[in-house]
């Protein structure tokens, strides 16, 4: 028996060793006109198995740890004197850039450990992790399902370094997404390697993008300017779309859930290596009208009425006709102080009537409760994709998409706020002159805002934040003290006024062409057209809360006003981008990439001033760049890359951004990596040319520039266990921020800022740094059970300036943790999958985010979600989700509450495939 086993083992070893040779010879005979060159000695030692001793075969298998792909030919040490002219046996052609999004998932199916995971984003070509220096994470379609993820933000919860606002069991329109401490203006979102950035503001709104047509999401954390250009400071998120293979498959899915959630999905696709197609339609609606309750550590107290006949109106700047109701101590009858009101405030007895102004003493803690009444969110998405490979050398892909959204601009949004706001003032006392709002002493002098003065948000506090309102214009009580709108009362006049509404539409068309010139050289090109249109509006009439709550009874002071237009009623932004890249092997261990990129952004936008003056701007920016990248494999243990990107812009001139990286893998257990790069973020058209209202353009604005580096280790003690640990540090200077100053054209009717005493302009101000740790552990316990742990530690703050009462971001901005980013974020996931039955638990812990306008933090919170999929028949699967099993009441960001327990249930029908 023993001899028989050894004999079979020898035969198997010989067969396995000869397999790459047989495949290569057949492929070469059928495709290549040129004969296969003579193999190096190392290749012969690995492929000729007939005379190979069993011990050598066993050693080879042990080295490969059972992974067939490791039996492929590996080139010797990097040698530029041995150029590659034909494909070598066992050596795959470098996949073209345009097709890698489809190739990567297939190649990754046979991975052995985390370093064998194939990604395309880090290098724009399919590469295993052990051959790249970048820190890359991949979230697959199976992970989306296990999480019950609806949008990209949900899916990315399993990515270290990413901080995002979950959809909360429904759907969000507001952003607040960060990668290594930088928001979506400073990280790049791609679809199949093509940017999805809005031309207007440089954002991407990944919280509105569903995962229905995605095969996987790859994330490169860290500076990626070298390969992807401007904005890739925090990294890159690449949404890789499905390319179906096999017989046609038709999928229908419907889900319904708590608080007006519903979703429809239809998908049809199939194909083969020659031609494939995929059509996807999805529609998602979420009312988000959930009840909530949370606590604030302190409250704002306002001065009440005075009976002092000597009190006067504080001096004011020239205002518009609305100035009669600008100050809280003016009522509808035009009285300049609070004469005749009972319940006089003893503290308000000086020469200035301070009724409605903020006292320097912090009030008691308050509980904010209510119902999200203005958080409706709906979106439709249509995508189509075709991939055609007419011959072995050409591949053409076409993708088109349309996404339409209608939503409350902030929802689910803020329900409380700090009562203070800063800003430059023409007068010595900016609060009494109406340019800013801080606490004031009884004599009217500014006391500053060093304490947390929280007030409950109501529909009118955006327009008159100097008072605390709780009644509608007709006297009905809408907001009991400490409570925003509760729903069901005065809904026609109040439910739709807290937030403006937005209708948006995004159109995307991308064409890819990949040409294999030789087995070692390819040209990969794409052309992309992207358009983003939005309209902002308010329901008409726009009704303002009208009563002030002092120490005495409420009295009417405001009335309904025409809806009017928001500051930016309309915007139409387009971008055209073209790129071509030459990828070639200079030697068996050296890949060289040279690429050219051209982009043009154009925005046509309306801007409305406070005086009702409407202005438009129509401007564009062109930018071209070229990049040269050398990826070198010195040996199986040592990989490196170095490159340079040159960018020239019609707006700011030229920028050079070099980068380099190295990975050292001494054995299969551990691998070390490090990356360094210079990065930049170009200003967007809104920052440069927005004119009108209180905004002036700044065509001299320069890019944000900086340096980022990271060092990390990947540990694979077993094929089914992988651990990654990374330390990162990024610094950028010249961060964009608003400067507020006196308007030199205040009295010039020809100026778009006519009538505005103070104006603002985007300038290069302070610096920003972000340091932290990324940790991930992935343990595939069995074929059915998988455990994951994610930890992100981030310290991100603006630096280089000092808080100043004249700063528009005052108070507490510089040298404090950035809003929306916790110091620590932990995600734990456990998944069981067996014969279609899926049970998944997802736990999240957030250490708390800083409250706006204070140095305090939201309390830490933790939630637990359950997701189940139950196959009923081969065609029918029932789905169910329970989010926030413990019914935890918490703020996911400052003053923005999350719902308690929410539910979803649905079914999925699949035919064919």
């Amino acid at each position: 028996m023993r001899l028989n086993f050894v004999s079979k083992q020898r035969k198997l070893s010989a067969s396995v060793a000869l397999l790459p040779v047989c495949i290569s010879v057949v492929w070469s005979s059928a495709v290549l006109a040129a004969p296969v060159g003579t193999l190096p000695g190392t290749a012969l030692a690995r492929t000729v198995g007939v005379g190979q001793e069993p011990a050598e075969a066993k050693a080879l298998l042990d080295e490969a740890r059972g992974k067939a792909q490791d039996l492929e030919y590996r080139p010797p040490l990097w040698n530029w004197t041995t150029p590659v002219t034909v494909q070598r046996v066992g050596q795959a052609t470098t996949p073209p850039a345009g097709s890698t999004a489809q190739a990567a998932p297939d190649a990754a199916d046979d991975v052995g450990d985390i370093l064998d995971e194939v990604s395309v984003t880090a290098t724009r070509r399919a590469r295993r992790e052990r051959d790249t220096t970048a820190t890359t994470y991949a979230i697959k379609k199976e992970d989306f399902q296990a999480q019950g993820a609806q949008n990209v933000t949900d899916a990315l919860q399993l990515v270290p370094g990413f901080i995002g606002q979950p959809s909360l069991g429904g759907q969000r329109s507001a952003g607040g997404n960060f990668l290594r401490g930088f928001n979506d203006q400073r990280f790049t979102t791609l679809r199949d390697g093509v940017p999805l950035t809005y031309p207007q503001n440089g954002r991407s709104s990944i919280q509105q993008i569903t995962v229905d047509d995605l095969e996987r999401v790859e994330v490169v954390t860290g500076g990626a300017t070298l390969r992807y250009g401007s904005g890739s400071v925090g990294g890159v998120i690449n949404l890789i779309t499905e390319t179906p293979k096999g017989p046609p498959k038709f999928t229908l899915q419907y889900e319904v859930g708590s608080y007006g959630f519903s979703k429809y999905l239809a998908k049809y696709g199939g194909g083969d290596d020659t031609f494939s197609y995929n059509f996807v339609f999805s529609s998602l609606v979420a009312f988000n009208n959930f009840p909530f309750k949370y606590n604030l550590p302190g409250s704002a107290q306002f001065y009440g009425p005075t009976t002092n006949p000597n009190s006067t109106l504080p001096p004011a700047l020239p205002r518009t006709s609305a100035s009669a109701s600008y100050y809280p101590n003016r009522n509808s009858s035009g009285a300049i102080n609070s004469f005749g009101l009972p319940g006089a405030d003893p503290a308000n007895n000086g020469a200035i009537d301070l009724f409605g102004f903020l006292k320097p003493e912090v009030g008691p803690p308050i509980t904010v409760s209510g119902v999200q009444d203005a958080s409706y969110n709906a979106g439709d998405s249509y995508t189509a994709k075709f991939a055609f490979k007419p011959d072995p050398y050409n591949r053409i892909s076409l993708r088109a998409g349309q996404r339409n959204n209608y939503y409350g601009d902030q929802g689910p949004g803020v329900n409380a706020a700090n009562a203070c706001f800063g800003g430059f003032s023409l007068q010595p006392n900016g609060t009494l002159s109406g340019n800013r709002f801080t606490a004031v002493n009884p004599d009217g002098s500014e006391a500053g805002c060093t304490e947390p003065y929280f007030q409950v948000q109501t529909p009118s506090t955006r327009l008159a934040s100097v008072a605390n309102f709780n009644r509608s214009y007709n006297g009905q009580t809408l907001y009991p003290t400490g409570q925003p709108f509760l729903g069901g009362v005065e809904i026609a006049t109040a439910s739709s006024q807290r937030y403006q509404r937005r209708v948006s539409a995004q159109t995307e068309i991308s064409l890819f062409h990949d040409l294999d010139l030789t087995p070692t050289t390819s040209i990969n090109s794409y052309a992309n057209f992207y358009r983003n249109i939005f309209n902002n509006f308010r329901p008409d009439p726009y009704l303002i809360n009208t009563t002030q709550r002092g120490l005495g009874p409420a009295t009417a002071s405001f009335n309904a006003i025409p809806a009017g237009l928001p500051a930016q009623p309309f915007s139409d932004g387009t971008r055209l981008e073209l790129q071509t890249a030459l990828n070639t092997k200079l030697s068996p261990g050296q890949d060289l990439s040279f690429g050219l990129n051209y982009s043009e952004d154009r925005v046509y936008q309306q801007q409305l001033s406070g005086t009702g003056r409407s202005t438009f701007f129509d401007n564009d920016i062109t930018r071209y760049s070229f990049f040269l990248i050398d990826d070198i494999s010195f040996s199986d243990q040592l990989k490196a890359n170095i490159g340079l990107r040159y960018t020239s812009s019609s707006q700011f001139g030229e920028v050079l951004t070099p980068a380099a990286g190295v990975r050292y893998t001494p054995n299969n257990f551990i691998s070390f990596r490090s990356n360094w790069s210079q990065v930049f973020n170009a200003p967007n058209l809104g920052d440069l040319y927005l004119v009108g209202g209180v905004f002036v353009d700044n065509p001299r604005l320069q890019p944000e520039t900086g340096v980022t580096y990271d060092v990390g280790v990947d540990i694979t003690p077993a094929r089914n266990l992988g651990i990654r640990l990374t330390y990162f540090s990024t610094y950028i200077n010249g961060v964009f921020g608003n400067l507020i100053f006196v308007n030199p054209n205040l009295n010039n009717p020809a100026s778009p800022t006519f009538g505005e005493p103070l104006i603002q302009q985007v300038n290069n101000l302070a610096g920003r740094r972000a340091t932290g740790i990324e940790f991930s552990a992935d343990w595939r316990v069995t074929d059915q059970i998988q455990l994951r742990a994610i930890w992100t530690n981030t310290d991100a703050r603006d630096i280089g300036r000092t808080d100043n009462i004249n700063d528009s971001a005052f108070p507490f901005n510089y040298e404090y943790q950035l809003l929306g980013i916790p110091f620590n974020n932990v995600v734990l996931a456990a998944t069981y999958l067996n014969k279609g039955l899926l049970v998944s638990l997802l736990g999240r812990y957030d250490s708390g985010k800083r409250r706006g306008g204070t140095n305090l933090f939201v309390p830490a919170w933790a939630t637990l979600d359950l997701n189940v999929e139950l196959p009923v028949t081969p065609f029918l699967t029932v789905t169910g989700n329970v989010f926030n099993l413990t019914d935890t009441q918490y703020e996911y960001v400052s003053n923005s509450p999350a719902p308690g327990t929410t539910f979803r249930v649905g079914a999925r029908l699949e035919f064919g495939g």
Side-chain angles (χ1 to χ4, degrees):
M1 179 69 70
R2 171 74 176 173
L3 292 176
N4 187 39
F5 174 79
V6 172
S7 176
K8 288 182 179 179
Q9 186 186 46
R10 289 181 177 178
K11 292 179 180 179
L12 177 61
S13 299
S15 301
V16 170
L18 282 172
L19 183 59
V21 177
C22 297
I23 294 175
S24 253
V25 168
V26 171
W27 183 86
S28 300
S29 300
V31 179
L32 293 180
V36 177
T38 303
L39 293 175
T42 53
L44 291 173
R46 287 179 177 254
T47 57
V48 181
V50 175
Q52 193 174 33
E53 293 297 326
E56 294 176 349
K58 185 176 185 303
L60 185 62
L61 288 172
D62 289 342
E63 176 189 344
R65 300 172 64 191
K67 300 185 292 292
Q69 60 269 22
D70 280 354
L71 297 179
E72 295 178 355
Y73 163 69
R74 292 186 179 181
L77 293 179
W78 170 64
N79 186 353
W80 64 270
T81 64
T82 309
V84 177
T85 57
V86 295
Q87 178 151 329
R88 300 181 183 277
V89 175
Q91 184 179 5
T93 304
T94 301
S99 62
T100 48
Q102 292 79 38
D106 297 334
D109 290 341
D110 299 324
V111 298
D113 58 37
I114 61 170
L115 294 184
D116 286 313
E117 178 78 26
V118 174
S119 67
V120 300
T121 307
T123 61
R124 286 191 178 269
R125 290 168 291 174
R127 288 289 183 88
R128 298 190 184 278
E129 288 298 303
R130 65 177 73 252
D131 296 323
T132 64
T133 67
T135 307
T136 307
Y137 305 94
I139 306 298
K140 302 177 184 178
K141 181 167 57 177
E142 294 78 11
D143 301 319
F144 306 161
Q145 290 182 230
Q147 294 176 253
Q150 295 293 344
N151 56 27
V152 173
T153 305
D154 281 347
L156 292 176
Q157 301 300 313
L158 290 175
V159 173
F162 177 79
I163 302 296
Q165 312 307 328
S167 60
L168 308 173
Q171 178 77 346
R172 284 177 48 80
S173 61
N177 303 305
F178 300 87
L179 192 60
R180 282 196 175 176
F182 293 93
N183 64 11
D184 58 356
Q185 285 184 314
R186 298 171 180 90
F187 67 77
T188 301
T189 301
L190 314 167
R191 196 193 304 270
D192 292 335
V194 177
L196 291 177
T197 304
Y198 295 162
Q200 292 96 330
N201 55 18
R203 297 186 177 275
S204 53
S205 298
I206 58 175
Q207 69 278 357
Q208 297 175 8
I209 303 175
T210 63
V211 298
D212 301 310
D213 68 333
L214 301 183
E215 180 66 38
R216 61 200 268 130
V217 178
E218 293 182 356
V219 181
V220 176
T221 54
T225 296
L226 173 63
R227 300 183 193 266
Y228 294 98
S230 169
S232 306
V233 176
V236 166
I237 297 172
N238 192 8
L239 314 179
I240 299 175
T241 58
E242 292 177 311
T243 304
K245 297 292 180 63
K249 183 177 181 179
F250 183 49
T251 302
L252 289 173
Q253 185 173 352
Y254 174 71
E255 288 182 291
V256 64
S258 306
Y259 309 119
F261 177 89
S262 63
K263 179 182 177 180
Y264 302 85
L265 172 66
K267 183 187 298 186
Y268 180 72
D272 52 31
D273 290 336
T274 301
F275 179 74
S276 65
Y277 53 91
N278 198 32
F279 303 94
V280 180
F281 163 76
S282 65
S283 176
L284 191 151
V285 174
F287 284 39
N288 295 312
N289 54 346
F290 54 83
F292 61 86
K293 182 170 64 175
Y294 63 94
N295 299 317
L296 291 171
S299 56
Q301 298 186 105
F302 299 90
Y303 287 100
T306 179
T307 56
N308 181 358
N310 297 319
S311 63
T312 60
L313 181 69
L317 296 172
R319 307 295 295 181
T320 65
S321 59
S323 62
S325 58
Y326 183 78
Y327 292 104
N329 56 312
R330 280 189 184 272
N331 58 35
S332 57
S333 64
I336 63 172
N337 56 39
S338 49
F339 293 160
L341 292 180
D345 185 353
N348 185 9
N349 57 9
I352 298 176
D353 187 353
L354 297 177
F355 180 81
F357 284 91
L358 184 64
K359 291 184 177 182
E361 298 84 16
V362 176
I366 54 175
T367 298
V368 181
S369 62
V371 173
Q372 291 284 15
D373 67 294
S375 301
Y376 180 87
N377 202 314
D380 293 334
S381 178
Y382 311 81
T383 62
K385 181 179 180 180
F386 305 92
F388 179 49
K389 191 171 184 179
D391 55 56
Y393 313 107
N394 289 276
R395 180 184 179 90
I396 301 171
S397 300
L398 174 66
R399 190 191 65 247
Q402 178 70 33
R403 189 172 83 245
N404 306 314
N405 291 89
Y406 171 75
Y407 53 91
D409 198 40
Q410 298 290 329
V414 175
N415 290 270
N418 188 285
C420 301
F421 62 89
F424 181 80
S425 177
L426 292 171
Q427 306 294 331
N429 190 314
T431 299
L432 296 188
S433 61
N435 303 131
R436 57 178 174 248
F437 192 72
T438 73
V440 292
N441 297 310
D443 62 359
S445 60
E446 290 180 311
C449 281
T450 58
E451 302 290 344
Y453 303 96
F454 292 107
Q455 65 175 350
V456 177
Q457 288 279 55
T458 74
S460 62
T461 52
R462 292 287 185 183
L463 300 180
S465 60
V466 293
N468 200 8
F469 300 89
N470 72 333
R471 290 181 182 270
S472 68
Y473 76 99
N474 61 6
Q476 292 191 33
T477 301
L478 293 182
Y479 299 88
T481 302
Q483 296 182 346
F485 182 65
L486 298 178
V489 180
E490 197 81 25
I491 192 163
T493 62
S495 66
S496 59
Q497 61 184 322
R498 170 61 182 86
Y499 307 112
Q500 65 183 12
R501 296 293 188 266
R502 173 170 290 194
V503 177
S504 67
Q506 289 84 40
T507 304
E508 181 191 5
I509 301 174
S510 297
L511 178 65
F512 303 86
H513 180 221
D514 306 303
L515 171 63
D516 292 338
L517 294 175
T518 72
T520 60
T521 303
S522 64
I523 296 179
N524 316 118
S525 308
Y526 69 76
N528 171 259
F529 172 79
Y530 188 76
R531 186 180 189 184
N532 177 49
I533 301 175
F534 68 78
N535 289 277
N536 291 335
F537 66 95
R538 293 190 179 103
D540 192 4
Y542 185 76
L543 303 174
I544 299 179
N545 266 13
T546 58
T547 56
Q548 300 162 354
R549 182 172 52 80
L551 298 180
T555 56
S557 59
F558 294 110
N559 291 307
I561 62 173
L565 292 173
Q568 297 175 5
F570 171 79
S571 181
D572 183 356
T574 60
R575 184 181 65 250
L576 174 66
E577 182 166 352
L578 308 172
Q579 178 167 301
T580 187
L582 175 70
N583 300 293
T584 185
K585 273 189 172 297
L586 297 182
S587 70
Q590 184 179 21
D591 294 326
L592 189 69
S593 299
F594 175 75
L596 298 172
N597 180 279
Y598 169 84
S599 66
E600 179 187 66
D601 288 349
R602 176 174 290 275
V603 173
Y604 178 75
Q605 184 162 303
Q606 181 184 11
Q607 188 70 22
L608 196 69
S609 71
T611 60
R613 181 188 181 97
S614 180
T615 57
F616 293 85
F617 81 86
D618 183 358
N619 279 286
D620 66 274
I621 296 175
T622 58
R623 190 161 58 231
Y624 66 87
S625 60
F626 68 79
F627 53 90
L628 182 66
I629 306 168
D630 197 3
D631 293 292
I632 306 174
S633 177
F634 291 99
S635 68
D636 289 346
Q637 291 76 37
L638 183 61
K639 317 287 182 179
N641 66 72
I642 188 169
L644 178 69
R645 190 182 192 98
Y646 167 83
T647 303
S648 178
S649 170
S650 62
Q651 182 268 322
F652 60 78
E654 290 75 32
V655 174
L656 282 175
T657 47
V662 63
R663 178 186 284 272
Y664 176 59
T665 309
N667 53 53
N668 288 321
F669 176 80
I670 195 168
S671 182
F672 303 94
R673 51 186 159 74
S674 181
N675 299 277
W676 173 92
S677 65
Q678 290 189 0
V679 293
F680 80 97
N681 178 44
N684 57 72
L685 280 162
D687 292 338
L688 291 167
Y689 301 118
L690 184 60
V691 178
V694 297
F695 300 101
V696 293
D697 62 351
N698 184 6
R700 298 178 301 278
L701 192 64
Q702 294 298 299
E704 301 170 335
T705 58
V707 173
T708 178
Y709 71 89
D710 61 50
V711 292
V713 59
D714 300 329
I715 303 173
T716 54
R719 290 180 57 192
N720 62 339
L721 176 60
I723 298 171
R724 292 180 175 177
L725 184 66
T726 307
Y727 171 81
F728 63 87
S729 177
T730 304
Y731 170 80
I732 58 174
N733 54 33
V735 173
F736 306 143
N738 285 333
L739 280 182
I740 300 177
F741 50 90
V742 177
N743 183 8
N745 296 307
L746 172 66
N747 299 313
N748 181 6
S751 171
T753 58
F754 167 67
E756 300 289 347
L758 298 175
I759 54 178
Q760 55 183 293
Q761 182 185 61
V762 178
N763 277 257
N764 298 104
L765 298 180
R768 180 171 297 176
R769 69 165 180 260
T771 60
I773 299 172
E774 299 169 358
F775 170 85
S776 71
D778 188 349
W779 183 22
R780 297 179 178 93
V781 183
T782 67
D783 290 340
Q784 294 79 32
I785 300 175
Q786 182 178 10
L787 303 177
R788 285 184 173 179
I790 306 298
W791 170 50
T792 301
N793 171 270
T794 308
D795 186 330
R797 58 190 72 199
D798 285 335
I799 59 176
R801 288 171 63 88
T802 304
D803 264 337
N804 188 299
I805 197 171
N806 289 312
D807 195 311
S808 60
F810 178 84
F812 301 109
N813 187 19
Y814 300 104
E815 297 294 347
Y816 285 87
Q817 181 80 343
L818 292 177
L819 298 177
I821 303 178
F823 281 115
N824 290 286
N825 182 70
V826 178
V827 180
L828 302 175
T831 303
Y832 174 81
L833 178 61
N834 186 19
K835 297 180 180 179
L837 173 63
L838 170 68
V839 180
S840 177
L841 287 172
L842 184 73
R844 285 195 294 261
Y845 167 80
D846 186 300
S847 65
K849 305 174 179 72
R850 186 171 66 86
R851 294 192 181 277
T854 75
N855 57 356
L856 304 177
F857 278 73
V858 169
W861 53 266
T863 62
L864 182 64
D865 302 337
L866 171 67
N867 182 47
V868 177
E869 291 195 0
L870 177 64
V872 179
T873 73
F875 312 105
L876 175 63
T877 301
V878 175
T879 64
N881 311 88
V882 184
F883 299 94
N884 194 355
L885 280 166
T886 58
D887 198 29
T888 302
Q889 302 292 311
Y890 66 96
E891 301 165 79
Y892 54 90
V893 293
S894 176
N895 307 317
S896 295
T901 303
T902 59
F903 303 87
R904 284 206 306 257
V905 64
R908 183 172 64 246
L909 283 170
E910 297 174 294
F911 304 98

